[in-house]
């Protein structure tokens, strides 16, 4: 089982890709909550409508479907459907001792395609903010 060690660069590539995908999956859960809060709707459960500091004015329409929330929810469900297959298939692939270049192409290619699948859901305001953070204006 020397293949399943971080000293194996193929396994290290798999571990990086797997960690990124798990983090994305967790982030999607938080993004769903953020979107529900921003939209003040799209809740799934009646208990979400209880009066709390996060929901000071609950109303029945909060349980109505909300397309912006449902879009994030569908992406999260798609991740939950696909991630286990990637984790299992990727780990089995590592045990075949593939070439490092091909393994990196496949693992990182998967990560990139999953992130591209997610990109349309990012609000333009956030993208503008992120660009400014990466390239601060100089006065």
């Amino acid at each position: 089982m020397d293949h399943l060690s971080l000293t194996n660069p193929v396994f290290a590539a798999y571990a990086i890709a797997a960690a990124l995908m798990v983090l994305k999956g967790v982030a999607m859960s938080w993004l769903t909550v953020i979107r529900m809060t921003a939209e003040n709707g799209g809740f799934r459960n009646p208990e979400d409508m209880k009066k709390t500091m996060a929901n000071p004015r609950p109303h029945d329409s909060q349980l109505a479907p909300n397309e912006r929330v449902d879009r994030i929810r569908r992406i999260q469900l798609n991740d939950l459907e696909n991630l286990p297959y990637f984790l299992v298939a990727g780990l089995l692939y590592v045990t075949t001792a593939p070439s490092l270049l091909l393994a990196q192409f496949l693992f990182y290619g998967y990560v990139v395609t999953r992130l591209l699948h997610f990109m349309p859901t990012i609000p333009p305001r956030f993208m503008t903010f992120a660009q400014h953070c990466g390239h601060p204006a100089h006065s």
Side-chain angles (χ1 to χ4, degrees):
M1 282 291 163
D2 292 336
H3 297 300
L4 303 180
S5 165
L6 288 175
T7 59
N8 175 3
V10 173
F11 181 74
Y14 164 77
I16 291 168
L20 289 171
M21 289 293 83
V22 168
L23 287 173
K24 180 187 178 288
V26 171
M28 292 305 295
S29 297
W30 284 104
L31 185 57
T32 302
V33 171
I34 290 168
R35 183 66 58 92
M36 286 188 318
T37 304
E39 293 291 318
N40 195 25
F43 301 159
R44 283 236 170 126
N45 302 308
E47 55 267 17
D48 293 336
M49 289 186 3
K50 290 182 179 176
K51 186 174 182 174
T52 64
M53 288 191 315
N55 190 11
R57 294 179 308 280
H59 49 86
D60 290 339
S61 65
Q62 289 176 321
L63 287 177
N66 181 299
E67 182 54 34
R68 288 178 43 89
V69 173
D70 287 343
R71 170 85 172 126
I72 298 294
R73 207 175 261 134
R74 286 191 302 269
I75 291 174
Q76 180 185 21
L77 289 174
N78 187 269
D79 283 345
L80 292 173
E81 292 167 355
N82 289 288
L83 184 58
Y85 294 112
F86 169 73
L87 295 175
V88 171
L91 195 58
L92 291 173
Y93 182 66
V94 167
T95 64
T96 67
S99 75
L100 177 59
L101 186 60
L102 180 59
Q104 287 175 327
F105 176 77
L106 293 172
F107 294 148
Y108 299 146
Y110 181 80
V111 170
V112 168
T113 58
R114 298 305 301 171
L115 292 175
L116 288 174
H117 180 253
F118 163 72
M119 289 303 285
T121 65
I122 298 176
R125 291 183 310 228
F126 178 78
M127 292 305 289
T128 302
F129 171 75
Q131 289 170 349
H132 286 291
C133 287
H135 305 289
H138 298 285
S139 50

